[in-house]
């Protein structure tokens, strides 16, 4: 590829990303909160903190914390960021955070997870996301509102692969605190397992991922690669790279080029050097640990990555797990002593894998997203009876996590997290789901994964504070809480009772293993020594053994270990963890930025949406197809999106290159309430040609005019989920008004106004959850009804009714899919020439035979193989898939019982030019037609992309 062509591709990519109104909305959350929320704000020197009133305490704490952090996280990049808005989101149950431009803001989702490192959740979010704020400022801070934020976001996304900025942020969160993901062996476990197992993949595969194998993820890869840069080339290396990137933001392969400029190695060579170093370090660590190979109790029939989460013995012969993998959606599965599997129930999306078993009952939590306001979600508790095969949702609109059944299955203990971030343990009646008891948590520790003892009179819980993690025991009768361990920087998780003792996962020796707290002596003993990591212990009382997850190359296996096999006291063992981040601490000159946070009370005041409807941030270029000429309309729009995602506004200008006329456009979308209101305005030039008969023949007379087109649309989108099913429904109604003026060569029949033509749409559907390898839902249906007519305009008549449908069925082999689609339309009057339903493939090469009434498509699609081919820096091909199809037209109308076209297609799923997003599909299609005039097959190129 020539240098000129590379520059052209990069510049087109910037234009492409900026011009697409949906592109970044797919990357960042653009949904809304319920309209009844009362928002407040705190303004400090560097931050505007916007928050629901219930989070007043947390907002004050974050105001103090962020003001301290902002001077710490920018040190190695030498850039003080401008004031930015931080929005605390409390309505969702997902733990997340992000920073974005257009509009410039950061969002913290305040609900803490049930599995994380050993520090306060919001503290961790603050330091990680604030590093992203500094990164944005360093690279694109000169591109500001009201014109250039989208351009800045596009340049940031094109210049920096996510491994670079996410890895750097993880390095900062680890180096500047006593916790951070860089200290967790569980976080690096896939990378470590692959490397020590001899699976050293290419840079593209480790970065972009794979549908065939487990790969580390770009957070993990980026942490090690950016940390190696700083270890080998000093504290200023990232600052030097950002500075060079900023000077020429459209340089081809800019980051790799800049890394090589300063270090002599490109990104691929840096990746290989990092893997080589880690291989040496991890092998040295492994030699110190004396790992034990544990027998696998499940049977794998192939090498497809699959996890068997949370093994629980329900009898001497059967183990219950959640099975989930790249080829299989999550499902409760029974495994007998021979390894034979029996699927019990497919389940829905969980923030983390969780379930509890007792007395033939299974309790688990699932995410439920609000039907309309998708910033709000809930975590509900379900229960399934293995004897009756009945499933019930016990709670509704709850925020309950990690439910644990009591030994008699009469009660369920769970973590309750309120919208004010108050955390407690509650007990539910397992029959009704009602809360019957709540245990206080005056220190408001983050509580995780409660578990009943065998007598049912005590609960063990993980507690997290700013000082680390510990175990606390709750006496159910008295309510007294006892702290069993000191707070420490350990990823203590999923404690269960073994008699009076407690077993849990931790990493005292530098690797995740199962440990036992002996209550009689208060000593901690190491129970397992897994080669890569052991997790999720369950005490099997009948066989006096521990069931656990044993991490291997293809995922989490099930293994068992005797309770007292090692009997090694933790206090005598050495921590062998590779502190890869250590040089960063010296470079930053900090070890715990949270050590001295003030407690200042900041002034707060209401944040009113009515005063903050507009945030003009970007001028976006328009480059769109011209309907009159094989060329582009060019123009520009000024865009506004407010901070709470409730109103989007744009206004702009474009030049119609075919008609050589200026055009003007504007639009508004208001999304605060249940219906979504959309208004658009367009002033445009138009042209048609009228055929006139003259004595010398037919002449074409151009008729030109301008018109004002105002459109209004109201839509109501609804989506629901339950277990492994997703449901959606959308109703919309729209109309428009068109007035025409400056008409040249005006014909007698010319209409100056089109008054309120109306259109209606109703769609609904349901589908099942897909695995990574599924090309479509295993089961699903979708239906769309549309209707257009002229109820208020007697100058026009006619109507158009459309029906579109699609059906999904399982194929003959796992991950194959059979799809069928039937579409029909009925038109009359003005709409007679409209075609609003999909046409058969290859229709542009065929002659119309009759007015189109319906189409019917049958598709069989299947993955062919997963090559993970790296074609240098140009493309990385993850999957090749194929398909067979038959397309019918006007079924039931004449002799149309055979397909009009049929054929096969093949497509490759890939990443191009080492961009993580979008995901591209490119391939070809061979079409055969039944018309005798089409003697040769039709070849078509196909392409697609998604974010």
């Amino acid at each position: 590829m020539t240098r000129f062509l590379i520059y052209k591709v990069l510049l087109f990519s910037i234009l492409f990303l900026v011009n697409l109104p949906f592109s970044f909305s797919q990357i960042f959350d653009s949904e809304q909160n319920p309209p009844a929320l009362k928002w407040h704000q705190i303004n400090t020197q560097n931050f505007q903190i916007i928050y629901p009133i219930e989070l007043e305490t947390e907002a004050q704490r974050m105001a103090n914390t962020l003001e301290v952090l902002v001077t710490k996280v920018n040190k190695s990049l030498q850039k003080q960021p401008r004031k930015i808005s931080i929005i605390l989101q409390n309505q969702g149950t997902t733990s997340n955070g992000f920073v974005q431009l257009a509009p410039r803001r950061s969002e913290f989702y305040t609900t803490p997870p049930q599995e994380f490192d050993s520090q306060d959740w919001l503290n961790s979010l603050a330091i990680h996301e604030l590093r992203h704020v500094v990164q944005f400022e360093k690279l694109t801070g000169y591109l500001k509102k009201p014109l250039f934020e989208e351009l800045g976001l596009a340049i940031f996304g094109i210049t920096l692969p996510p491994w670079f900025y996410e890895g750097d942020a993880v390095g900062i969160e680890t180096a500047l605190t006593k916790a951070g993901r860089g200290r967790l062996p569980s976080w690096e476990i896939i990378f470590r397992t692959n490397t020590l197992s001899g699976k050293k993949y290419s840079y593209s595969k480790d970065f972009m991922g794979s549908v065939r194998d487990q790969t580390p993820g770009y957070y993990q890869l980026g942490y090690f690669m950016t940390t190696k840069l700083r270890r080998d080339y000093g504290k200023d290396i990232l600052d030097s790279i950002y500075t060079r990137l900023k000077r020429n933001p459209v340089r081809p392969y800019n980051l790799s080029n800049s890394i090589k400029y300063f270090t002599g190695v490109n990104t691929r060579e840096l990746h290989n050097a990092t893997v080589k170093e880690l291989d040496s370090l991890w092998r040295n660590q492994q030699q110190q640990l004396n790992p034990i190979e544990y027998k696998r109790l499940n049977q794998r029939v192939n090498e497809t990555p699959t996890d068997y989460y949370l093994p629980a013995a329900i009898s001497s012969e059967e183990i219950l797990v959640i099975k989930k993998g790249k080829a299989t959606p999550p499902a409760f599965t029974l495994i007998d002593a021979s390894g034979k599997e029996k699927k019990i129930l497919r389940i829905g999306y969980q923030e983390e894998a969780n379930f509890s078993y007792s007395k033939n009952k299974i309790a688990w939590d699932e995410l439920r997203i609000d039907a309309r306001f998708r910033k709000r979600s809930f975590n509900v508790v379900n229960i399934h009876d293995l004897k009756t095969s009945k499933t019930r949702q016990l709670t509704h609109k709850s925020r309950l996590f990690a439910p644990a059944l009591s030994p008699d299955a009469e009660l369920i203990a769970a973590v309750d997290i309120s919208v004010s971030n108050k955390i407690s343990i509650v007990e539910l009646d397992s029959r009704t789901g009602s809360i019957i008891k709540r245990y206080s948590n005056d220190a408001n520790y983050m509580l995780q994964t409660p578990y009943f003892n065998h007598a049912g009179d005590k609960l063990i819980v993980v507690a997290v504070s700013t000082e680390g993690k510990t175990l606390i025991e709750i006496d159910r009768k008295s309510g007294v809480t006892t702290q069993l361990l000191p707070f420490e920087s350990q990823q203590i998780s999923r404690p269960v009772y073994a008699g009076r003792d407690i077993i849990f996962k931790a990493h005292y020796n530098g690797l995740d293993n199962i440990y036992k707290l002996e209550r009689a002596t208060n000593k901690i003993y190491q129970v397992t020594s897994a080669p890569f990591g052991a997790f999720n212990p369950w005490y099997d009382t009948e066989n006096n053994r521990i069931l656990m997850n044993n991490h291997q190359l293809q995922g989490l296996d099930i293994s068992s270990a005797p309770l007292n096999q090692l009997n090694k006291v933790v206090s005598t063992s050495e921590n062998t963890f590779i502190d890869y981040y250590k040089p960063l601490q010296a470079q930053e000159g900090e070890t715990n930025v949270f050590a001295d946070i003030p407690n200042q009370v900041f002034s707060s005041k209401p944040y009113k949406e009515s005063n903050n409807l507009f945030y003009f941030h970007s001028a976006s270029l328009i480059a769109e197809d011209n309907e009159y000429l094989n060329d582009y309309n060019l123009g520009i729009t000024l865009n506004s999106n407010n901070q709470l995602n409730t109103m989007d506004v744009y206004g702009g200008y474009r030049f119609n290159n075919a008609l050589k006329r200026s055009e003007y456009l504007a639009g508004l979308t208001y999304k605060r309430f249940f219906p979504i209101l959309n208004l658009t305005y367009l002033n445009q030039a138009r042209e048609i040609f009228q055929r006139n008969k003259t004595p010398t023949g037919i002449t074409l007379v151009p008729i030109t005019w301008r018109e004002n087109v105002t459109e209004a649309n109201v839509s109501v989108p609804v989506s629901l989920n339950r277990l492994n099913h997703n449901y959606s429904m959308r109703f919309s109604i729209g109309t428009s008004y068109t007035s025409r003026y400056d008409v040249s060569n005006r014909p007698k029949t010319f209409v100056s106004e089109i008054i309120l033509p109306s259109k209606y749409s109703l769609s609904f559907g349901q589908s099942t959850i897909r695995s990574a390898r599924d090309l479509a839902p295993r089961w699903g249906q979708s239906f769309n009804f549309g209707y257009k007519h002229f109820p208020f305009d007697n100058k026009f008549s006619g109507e158009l009714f459309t029906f579109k449908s699609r059906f999904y069925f399982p194929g003959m082999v796992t991950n194959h899919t059979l799809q069928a689609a039937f579409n029909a339309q009925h038109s009359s009057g003005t709409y007679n020439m409209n075609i609003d339903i999909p046409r058969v493939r290859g229709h542009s090469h065929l002659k119309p035979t009759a007015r189109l009434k319906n189409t019917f498509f049958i598709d069989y699609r299947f993955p062919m193989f997963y090559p993970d081919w790296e074609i240098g820096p140009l493309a990385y091909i993850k999957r090749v898939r194929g398909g067979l199809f038959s397309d019918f037209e006007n079924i039931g109308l004449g002799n149309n019982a055979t397909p009009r076209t049929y054929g096969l297609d093949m497509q490759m799923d890939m990443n191009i030019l080492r961009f993580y997003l979008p995901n591209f599909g490119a391939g070809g299609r061979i079409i055969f037609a039944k018309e005798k005039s089409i003697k040769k097959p039709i070849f078509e190129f196909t392409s697609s992309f998604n974010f």
Side-chain angles (χ1 to χ4, degrees), residues 69-87:
L69 291 184
V70 72
T71 62
K72 308 288 187 179
V73 301
N74 65 25
K75 180 179 178 181
S76 55
L77 293 183
Q78 302 179 39
K79 187 66 176 180
Q80 174 75 16
R82 291 166 290 142
K83 186 171 182 177
I84 189 171
S85 298
I86 307 289
I87 304 175

Side-chain angles (χ1 to χ4, degrees), residues 766-820:
Q766 74 89 23
S767 61
T768 53
I769 290 178
R770 296 161 58 176
S771 71
R773 290 189 178 181
D774 286 329
L775 300 179
R778 181 176 173 84
W779 296 98
Q781 306 85 36
S782 67
F783 306 92
N784 177 274
F785 300 88
Y787 180 64
K788 298 178 181 179
H789 68 142
F790 297 91
F792 308 106
D793 196 333
N794 57 14
K795 297 183 294 295
F796 296 92
S797 64
E799 60 182 4
L800 175 64
F801 172 80
T802 59
F803 170 73
K804 303 172 187 177
S805 65
R806 184 169 291 273
F807 304 87
Y808 300 94
F809 307 95
M812 295 181 289
V813 181
T814 302
N815 308 129
H816 288 212
T817 177
L818 175 64
Q819 302 174 35

Side-chain angles (χ1 to χ4, degrees), residues 655-670:
F655 184 74
N656 189 319
N657 204 35
L659 303 182
K660 307 301 180 185
R661 294 290 186 271
S662 293
E663 300 182 340
Y664 308 92
L665 59 156
L668 179 149
T669 302
Y670 192 62

Side-chain angles (χ1 to χ4, degrees), residues 266-312:
N266 59 27
T267 50
R268 179 182 56 81
E269 292 165 336
L270 173 64
H271 164 268
N272 296 342
T274 304
V275 173
K276 182 178 180 181
E277 181 178 48
L278 290 173
D279 180 70
S280 175
L281 293 171
W282 282 332
R283 290 192 187 280
N284 289 337
Q285 179 197 26
Q286 191 177 48
Q287 290 175 4
Q288 302 174 56
L289 291 173
N290 299 314
I292 298 171
E293 293 294 337
Y294 296 95
K295 181 182 177 182
R296 184 171 62 196
L297 302 182
N298 54 294
Q299 299 296 321
R300 292 184 179 270
V301 297
N302 53 47
E303 295 186 354
T304 302
T306 305
D307 292 311
Y308 294 82
Y309 288 105
L310 301 162

Side-chain angles (χ1 to χ4, degrees), residues 292 294 498-499 501-503 514-519 521 523-529 539-540 543-547 560-569:
I292 298 171
Y294 296 95
D501 298 332
I502 297 164
I503 55 177
I514 310 302
Y515 292 85
K516 178 182 70 173
L517 173 62
E518 188 177 75
R519 299 298 299 280
T521 63
K523 291 182 178 180
I524 298 175
Y525 292 88
Q526 184 176 343
V527 176
T528 66
S529 184
Y539 181 60
D540 181 2
N543 297 296
N544 190 31
R545 62 175 181 169
I546 295 173
L547 292 177
S560 66
L563 184 59
N564 299 309
Q565 181 181 34
L566 293 180
N567 215 33
K568 183 178 181 180
V569 181

